[in-house]
Amino acid sequence: MTRRLPTAAPSPTSTTERFPFPFLHDQYRYSTNVEPSGSANSTAAGSWGGTRIVIDDHYRAEIDERHRILRSDPSRHQCLPHMVPAAWDCMLTVMRDLATDYPESMTLAREGNRWRWKNLLKNIDHSFVYGDESTLPEPPLSYICSQIQEDIVLLDQRDGQLWADAGVVTFAADWSFGFDVGMSFLQIHGPVPRIHSEGVITRAHNFLMRLESGQSYRRTNWTLTVDGTLDTSTETYPMWGRDRRAIAEGPLEDVGDRLYLRTEVQHLIRLANSNAIMFLIRTYLLPFRELATVPDWAERTHKVLEDLPLDMVEYKGIGRTREPGMRWLRTYGGVEL
């Protein structure tokens, strides 16, 4: 019998047509894999990427989930004092994006020395003075992140390095923003296998350092997640880690509904006023049963998982879920060897 998700945890599954399928080839290795943002990418099922910020059918459920996580763990929101100007810059940049891409729901207007922000999806009609925190109900970074589905990390550039000094991250994939805040970009990526010996992280760091004001790029990352759980941070590992074993030891037929391909679309934006770099991180989840409705995706996912080196398997935390995923694709997903 297929296990059903508890009603208290809404399923955040994205539709197949808009899912950012991450595999361009039958083999996956770490790379910078960046491209300019702003145009849609076609896939075998549809397209994605027409806007930097995406509002979809899961908007209310994911906003509510973010609120719940921040209420239980305020450390998911961090802003070191010197990053307050970047937080304001970030907030206004996101508001401008939303007002441009969703004018039927969001508007931003300048009224003298004040700004007026409307978000009809959340019944917000608010006037504020840029830089004056007393005119907002909460700090600017948490204020805007309470209205989008993306996580945000802000990088400060100084002393020839980038530093993760502010952000709101509630949907981390097996890492901890509360632990990483204040660390350099290179330190944060220290445990990732292969990227140092192959020079990937150095190229990525240098690329980000060269971003000019207003430039915007994007990349994807991926892993596997059980039961459509958005918050798989290290802080909550006791609540979701055991599900990996349950997948490996449970009925194979349940894997199609319980195992998800998780893709992050990461936008990298040089903010114009503060010179900080904004990482917008949006998480999409697709269960293997829906993945298998696109034969090309099912076949390629199987090939990528089969070929993935052991060190990358272990780092991504898919040592227990990779084999059940491949077996399900062969047994139920139409993949033929």
Side-chain angles (χ1 to χ4, degrees):
M1 181 176 179
T2 300
R3 179 182 183 273
R4 300 183 64 181
L5 291 174
T7 56
S11 172
T13 309
S14 300
T15 62
T16 307
E17 292 79 10
R18 293 177 304 212
F19 186 75
F21 186 70
F23 305 131
L24 299 180
H25 308 285
D26 293 341
Q27 183 183 79
Y28 176 85
R29 297 293 186 271
Y30 289 119
S31 66
T32 51
N33 73 312
V34 293
E35 63 180 11
S37 64
S39 59
N41 274 346
S42 296
T43 71
S47 65
W48 65 274
T51 60
R52 293 196 298 202
I53 299 174
V54 176
I55 294 175
D56 59 23
D57 295 340
H58 309 285
Y59 180 78
R60 296 186 188 280
E62 294 185 10
I63 292 298
D64 288 347
E65 178 69 353
R66 167 161 291 146
H67 178 70
R68 182 194 67 79
I69 293 168
L70 287 171
R71 189 172 62 245
S72 63
D73 183 3
S75 73
R76 308 296 187 91
H77 167 224
Q78 300 273 352
C79 186
L80 301 186
H82 67 279
M83 294 298 286
V84 171
W88 281 97
D89 197 1
C90 164
M91 184 188 79
L92 201 63
T93 299
V94 170
M95 285 179 172
R96 284 172 169 152
D97 270 20
L98 290 169
T100 298
D101 295 329
Y102 304 97
E104 70 285 353
S105 303
M106 320 276 193
T107 60
L108 179 68
R110 187 75 177 264
E111 300 177 342
N113 70 330
R114 303 182 73 90
W115 293 86
R116 187 173 183 181
W117 167 247
K118 293 183 181 180
N119 178 350
L120 300 182
L121 297 179
K122 293 202 68 181
N123 297 316
I124 292 173
D125 184 348
H126 189 80
S127 177
F128 65 89
V129 176
Y130 186 88
D132 184 350
E133 198 165 302
S134 69
T135 62
L136 286 179
E138 57 186 310
L141 199 52
S142 58
Y143 179 70
I144 196 58
C145 284
S146 72
Q147 302 178 57
I148 60 175
Q149 293 159 266
E150 285 77 4
D151 285 329
I152 290 179
V153 175
L154 298 180
L155 301 180
D156 187 35
Q157 184 166 328
R158 64 182 188 275
D159 303 327
Q161 292 199 64
L162 297 168
W163 304 84
D165 286 346
V168 173
V169 180
T170 54
F171 305 140
D174 211 357
W175 63 286
S176 167
F177 177 66
F179 178 80
D180 288 349
V181 68
M183 296 175 64
S184 74
F185 181 84
L186 296 176
Q187 289 171 330
I188 291 171
H189 292 87
V192 183
R194 297 171 180 259
I195 63 172
H196 297 275
S197 61
E198 296 174 9
V200 174
I201 193 61
T202 302
R203 291 195 299 273
H205 185 264
N206 292 340
F207 174 82
L208 290 171
M209 295 276 287
R210 291 194 299 267
L211 280 179
E212 297 180 1
S213 176
Q215 281 191 316
S216 177
Y217 287 80
R218 69 187 176 206
R219 67 182 299 273
T220 60
N221 197 11
W222 69 275
T223 188
L224 302 179
T225 295
V226 180
D227 289 341
T229 302
L230 278 168
D231 179 19
T232 56
S233 61
T234 53
E235 290 92 337
T236 58
Y237 178 80
M239 298 178 352
W240 55 265
R242 60 181 177 269
D243 292 333
R244 296 173 174 176
R245 175 173 294 180
I247 281 283
E249 298 175 353
L252 180 62
E253 62 186 282
D254 288 359
V255 170
D257 295 312
R258 296 197 62 190
L259 189 61
Y260 288 67
L261 177 61
R262 174 182 180 129
T263 301
E264 289 180 357
V265 177
Q266 304 172 353
H267 279 88
L268 326 169
I269 304 156
R270 176 74 77 175
L271 297 176
N273 294 329
S274 63
N275 202 45
I277 294 176
M278 175 171 64
F279 264 64
L280 282 170
I281 308 169
R282 177 61 186 277
T283 298
Y284 298 85
L285 296 163
L286 193 71
F288 269 43
R289 190 172 300 280
E290 291 188 28
L291 176 77
T293 64
V294 186
D296 289 348
W297 288 6
E299 183 177 351
R300 175 154 289 174
T301 299
H302 186 279
K303 288 180 178 178
V304 166
L305 292 177
E306 185 177 42
D307 176 76
L308 203 64
L310 184 59
D311 57 349
M312 294 177 67
V313 170
E314 294 303 317
Y315 177 76
K316 285 184 173 291
I318 62 174
R320 293 185 182 274
T321 55
R322 180 181 67 144
E323 286 293 337
M326 290 192 297
R327 283 191 286 116
W328 188 91
L329 288 171
R330 293 193 301 268
T331 306
Y332 299 102
V335 173
E336 298 181 0
L337 296 182

